[in-house]
């Protein structure tokens, strides 16, 4: 069964001659927490606005639950709860009043809306502040109220555009936990845009790395590593020394090469600060450990290097690729 809820096909958005979003192809499945990770100006917000039907693509198409966002924006907006970067509330009204107002706009009867609003305020941790005017809310409180505001219309999908910017670190953690909890509990699909890789790494099932309007890679962290680091994926670092009875303490690269000869797939062995770096096509860390121990050398350290989003971030965002 195809459980795609958001589908972008060759989506392109130009502003004059400038291409903000460049031929995106992407499918997001039901219940998934998908992270759109990219630096400022990458085109994240433009993509989101197109998904919501708030701006028209120059070419290509967007479908949400099988509905074309450009042709049927009103229907699509019913499916999606959207939390923009800066949520607007009526600052002279309380959190509860603001939620009631949204409920009213969405045709929810007042009695039902009151119960729902109070439940949601409790869920987002604002029960104590429901009668406070939102003008006095902190940035973190506003974002949490924004989440309640998005949820009150019971959407199938929530789209959060840089929801954590300006929130203090503790607040960020709580906010992210809340999103994961909601998605798991209600089967909500979440599209989360952020320039912060650690946050994306913390909560997202899959990530799209988005730079200059293009998706460089899409997948879970592990498969992204494979896509982006396929030339140097498996690296094992080891420290070995000779047994005490041998006078020469240090093991040479040539000696290690000879010992590891029976293992297939080794591409390169190098040494830096007495730590050997063994590059290979497949994960051979267990074989390396076994053969080294059997050789009589003393193995004091073995570490399989995993490439995470940090490395990807470094290579693509800061390495200026
Ligand atoms: P992000 O959300 O990833 O920071 P945006 O989608 O906001 O990126 O912007 C992508 C690029 O498109 C930026 O270079 C931005 O200046 C440009 N852009 C966004 N909106 C407009 C607009 N309405 N008119 C012209 N250029 C725009
Ligand atoms: Mg943006």
């Amino acid at each position: 069964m195809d459980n795609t809820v958001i589908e972008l096909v060759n989506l392109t958005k130009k502003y004059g001659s400038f291409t903000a979003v460049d031929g995106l192809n992407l499918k997001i499945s039901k219940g998934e927490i998908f992270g759109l990770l990219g630096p400022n100006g990458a085109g994240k917000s433009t993509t989101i606005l197109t998904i919501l039907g708030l701006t028209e693509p120059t070419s290509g198409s967007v479908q949400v639950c099988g509905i074309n966002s450009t042709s049927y924006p009103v229907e699509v907006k019913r499916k999606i709860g959207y939390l923009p970067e800066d949520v607007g509330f009526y600052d002279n009204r309380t959190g509860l009043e603001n939620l009631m107002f949204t409920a009213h706009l969405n045709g929810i009867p007042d009695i039902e809306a009151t119960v729902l609003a109070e439940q949601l305020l409790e869920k987002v941790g604002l029960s104590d502040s429901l009668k406070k005017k939102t003008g006095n809310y902190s940035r973190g409180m506003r974002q949490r109220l924004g989440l309640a505001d998005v949820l009150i219309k019971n959407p199938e999908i929530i789209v959060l555009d840089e929801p954590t910017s300006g929130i203090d670190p503790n607040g960020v953690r709580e906010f992210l936990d809340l999103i994961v909890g909601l998605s798991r509990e209600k089967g909500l699909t979440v599209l989360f845009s952020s320039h912060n890789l650690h946050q994306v790494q913390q909560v997202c099932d899959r990530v799209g790395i988005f730079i200059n309007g293009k998706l460089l890679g899409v997948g879970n962290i592990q498969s992204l590593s494979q896509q982006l680091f396929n030339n140097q994926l498996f690296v094992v670092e080891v420290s070995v020394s000779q047994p005490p009875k041998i006078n020469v303490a240090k093991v040479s690269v040539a000696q290690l090469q000879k010992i590891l000869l029976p293992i297939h797939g080794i591409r390169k062995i190098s040494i830096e600060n007495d730590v050997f770096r063994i590059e290979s096509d497949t994960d051979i860390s267990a074989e390396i450990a076994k053969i080294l121990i059997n050789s009589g050398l003393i193995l004091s350290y073995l570490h399989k290097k995993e490439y995470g989003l940090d490395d990807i971030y470094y290579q693509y965002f800061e390495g200026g690729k």
Side-chain angles (χ1 to χ4, degrees):
M1 198 183 79
D2 185 9
N3 58 358
T4 301
V5 289
I6 298 178
E7 183 170 17
L8 314 182
V9 180
N10 287 325
L11 182 73
T12 297
K13 175 70 185 182
K14 293 188 179 186
Y15 293 112
S17 59
F18 175 75
T19 306
V21 175
D22 194 359
L24 289 197
N25 286 293
L26 179 67
K27 281 185 180 184
I28 300 175
S29 303
K30 183 167 171 44
E32 201 172 26
I33 304 183
F34 187 89
L36 207 50
L37 174 68
N40 289 334
K44 303 181 296 295
S45 297
T46 304
T47 304
I48 286 173
L49 294 178
T50 323
I51 292 172
L52 293 161
L54 292 172
T55 185
E56 289 193 8
T58 307
S59 59
S61 68
V62 184
Q63 300 236 328
V64 174
C65 303
I67 305 168
N68 185 298
S69 298
T70 315
S71 316
Y72 302 97
V74 177
E75 285 76 359
V76 162
K77 268 179 233 121
R78 270 194 211 118
K79 305 257 176 212
I80 304 184
Y82 166 50
L83 183 64
E85 225 176 318
D86 282 304
V87 210
F89 290 113
Y90 294 99
D91 283 347
N92 58 349
R93 295 189 192 176
T94 66
L96 182 62
E97 284 165 351
N98 269 284
L99 282 195
M100 291 299 289
F101 184 70
T102 304
H104 185 71
L105 286 183
N106 284 280
I108 303 169
D110 277 358
I111 299 174
E112 196 183 315
T114 312
V115 177
L116 204 55
E118 286 181 359
Q119 276 173 356
L120 285 169
L121 284 164
E122 184 172 356
K123 188 164 250 349
V124 299
L126 288 175
S127 289
D128 293 345
S129 313
L130 87 180
K131 297 229 162 91
K132 244 194 213 169
K133 292 196 166 136
T134 55
N136 298 324
Y137 276 23
S138 69
R139 165 90 190 163
M141 289 164 78
R142 290 178 81 82
Q143 290 305 94
R144 282 185 279 148
L145 183 64
L147 199 55
D149 191 66
V150 154
L151 292 169
I152 203 158
K153 63 176 198 178
N154 197 22
E156 289 175 42
I157 303 162
I158 56 176
V159 173
L160 313 168
D161 195 359
E162 304 262 6
T164 55
S165 59
I167 311 183
D168 65 89
N170 285 339
V172 167
R173 174 104 238 168
E174 279 172 21
F175 190 82
L176 295 179
D177 288 347
L178 194 60
I179 291 169
V180 176
L182 281 167
S183 168
R184 300 291 180 255
E185 185 186 315
K186 295 174 182 267
L188 271 178
T189 308
V190 181
L191 174 60
F192 173 74
S193 122
S194 174
H195 64 276
N196 185 307
L197 90 140
H198 295 290
Q199 292 179 13
V200 165
Q201 203 164 15
Q202 241 173 34
V203 296
C204 295
D205 302 315
R206 266 194 328 144
V207 179
I209 306 244
F210 198 25
I211 295 181
N212 292 334
K214 288 200 171 97
L215 272 173
L216 291 182
V218 178
N220 59 31
I221 308 296
Q222 202 184 358
S223 84
L224 265 180
S225 306
Q226 276 165 15
Q227 287 171 43
L228 300 172
F229 287 97
N230 56 356
N231 293 328
Q232 44 174 323
L233 189 58
F234 295 98
V235 175
V236 178
E237 293 173 338
V238 295
S239 277
V240 279
S241 53
Q242 308 279 9
K245 58 182 186 292
I246 298 181
N247 284 336
V248 203
K250 289 203 172 165
V251 178
S252 69
V253 171
Q255 188 183 356
L256 198 72
Q257 257 161 353
K258 204 169 150 196
I259 294 171
L260 297 179
L261 206 59
I263 305 180
H264 293 291
I266 292 184
R267 287 196 194 177
K268 189 176 163 195
I269 302 178
S270 53
I271 186 165
E272 195 175 312
N273 299 329
D274 290 337
V275 176
F276 289 100
R277 185 184 153 89
I278 305 161
E279 293 173 31
S280 61
D281 297 329
T282 52
D283 182 3
I284 49 168
S285 46
E287 285 149 281
I288 292 175
K290 194 170 155 203
I291 215 163
L292 285 177
I293 290 163
N294 287 343
S295 74
L297 291 177
I298 296 167
L299 175 63
S300 52
Y301 171 77
L302 185 144
H303 173 71
K304 187 166 87 178
K305 184 142 176 48
E306 304 265 8
Y307 285 101
L309 274 187
D310 280 9
D311 305 273
I312 295 167
Y313 191 90
Y314 178 76
Q315 179 154 336
Y316 286 97
F317 290 39
E318 291 169 2
K321 215 173 177 183

